[in-house]
Amino acid sequence: MPEAPLLELRALDAFYGDFQALFGISMAVAPGQVVAVIGANGAGKSTLLKTIAGLIAAPRRDAVVFGGEPIGGLPAHGVVGRGIALVPEGRRLFPSLSVEENLLIGGRTRRPGPWSLEAVYGFFPVLAERRHSPSTALSGGQQQMVAIGRALMSNPRLLLCDEISLGLAPVIVRDIYARLPALAAQGTAMVIVEQDVSQALAAADHVFCLREGRVVLEDTARALTREAVAAAYFGV
Ligand SMILES: Nc1ncnc2c1ncn2[C@@H]1O[C@H](COP(=O)(O)OP(=O)(O)O)[C@@H](O)[C@H]1O
Ligand SMILES: [Mg+2]
C-alpha cells in the first residue's frame, strides 16, 4: 500500500489579481519522496511553491492538505510552523547579516527536530568556516548552502527548493545535489523546481512538467524519456 501523502494538492488554482497563474494542479508527495517540477520560464513553478508556502493565498483551504490538515490560505508563518520551508528563487539572503545570523532567522519559527546551527555546519562544513562573514562575501554556491541551511533550521517535514542550480557552476550544483538524498533518507520530503531537466530526472522519484499553469506530463523519473519531457516542456 502506498504511504499516506504528506502533501496533497487538490485542484489548486492561483491568481495574481485577475491573472490566473495555476489551473487545477493536483499532486501528492509522500514522506521522504523527492518530486521535481520542471517547465519553461513563466510556466508557474515559482507560483506553485509560493502557494504551498503560503506566500500566495490559495483560493480554497482544502486545495492544500498537509499531514491530513487543510492549510490553503494560511499565512506563511503558520505554514512554516507546520513544517514546510521554502528555499526561494534567487536565495534572498539578508546581505547586511552574517552567515550565522541568516541561519538563525530561519530558526525563529521552528518545530522540534534535529536541525540546529551545529547540524547545519555539519551538513555544509564550509559554512562553519564562514559563519561570521557577511553573506555577500560568500560564493554563489556557498550562499545557496546558506539559503538551504536557513530553511532546514525550521526543521521542515517538506522542503521546497526553487531553482537551486540557477547561476551556479556544474561542479557546485553536483555538490549540493549530492547532499539531498541524506535529507530524504531521514524522512524530509522535497519538491524541487528545476530548469535543468537532467538534474531533475536524476534527483527526483517523480516528475511533474508544467506549461502555462497546467500539469502537462507526470510520471516516475525512471519512466520518463528526454523526448517525452522535451515535447511536454515546449508543447510541440
Ligand atoms: N507578482 C506577480 N504578479 C503578476 N504576475 C506574476 C507575478 N509573478 C509571476 N507572475 C506571472 O505568473 C506566471 C507564472 O510565473 P512563475 O510562477 O514565476 O513562473 P516560473 O517560476 O515557472 O518561471 C507568469 O506568467 C508570470 O508572468
Ligand atoms: Mg520561477
Side-chain angles (χ1 to χ4, degrees):
M1 244 216 340
E3 213 168 343
L6 176 64
L7 173 75
E8 230 185 313
L9 305 181
R10 300 178 180 163
L12 173 70
D13 297 332
F15 297 84
Y16 296 102
D18 291 339
F19 176 75
Q20 185 164 3
L22 296 178
F23 298 82
I25 307 286
S26 292
M27 182 179 290
V29 183
Q33 193 182 18
V34 181
V35 168
V37 177
I38 60 176
N41 241 331
K45 306 180 299 297
S46 294
T47 303
L48 180 66
L49 295 192
K50 287 185 205 165
T51 309
I52 297 168
L55 297 169
I56 297 172
R60 294 188 345 268
R61 179 141 294 213
D62 69 348
V64 184
V65 178
F66 187 67
E69 199 189 348
I71 63 161
L74 279 189
H77 64 87
V79 175
V80 174
R82 280 168 172 75
I84 298 180
L86 172 67
V87 182
E89 190 172 4
R91 310 190 268 270
R92 298 189 168 271
L93 302 180
F94 293 94
S96 61
L97 300 184
S98 69
V99 166
E100 189 147 306
E101 288 164 334
N102 269 283
L103 293 174
L104 287 170
I105 282 173
R108 276 196 310 201
T109 301
R110 53 191 268 115
R111 304 169 56 248
W115 290 100
S116 61
L117 279 178
E118 292 316 312
V120 170
Y121 293 143
F123 194 61
F124 294 122
V126 67
L127 297 186
E129 301 158 24
R130 310 299 308 272
R131 63 201 294 168
H132 300 303
S133 303
S135 59
T136 45
L138 273 61
S139 69
Q142 291 168 351
Q143 291 188 24
Q144 189 65 78
M145 292 174 191
V146 177
I148 295 169
R150 180 180 59 187
L152 291 173
M153 286 290 287
S154 67
N155 281 307
R157 290 192 279 168
L158 174 68
L159 186 66
L160 309 172
C161 297
D162 200 347
E163 305 222 22
I164 51 182
S165 66
L166 201 68
L168 302 182
V171 59
I172 308 294
V173 174
R174 275 198 298 279
D175 180 36
I176 291 177
Y177 266 97
R179 291 164 210 263
L180 299 187
L183 298 179
Q186 66 181 46
T188 310
M190 279 172 267
V191 178
I192 55 171
V193 158
E194 261 305 333
Q195 289 214 31
D196 181 334
V197 173
S198 308
Q199 189 59 255
L201 290 175
D205 307 308
H206 208 92
V207 178
F208 288 78
C209 186
L210 293 188
R211 193 171 69 242
E212 294 172 4
R214 292 178 168 83
V215 175
V216 289
L217 180 69
E218 171 199 345
D219 212 331
T220 61
R222 193 174 313 134
L224 283 174
T225 62
R226 295 187 60 83
E227 291 71 26
V229 170
Y233 203 99
F234 296 111
V236 294

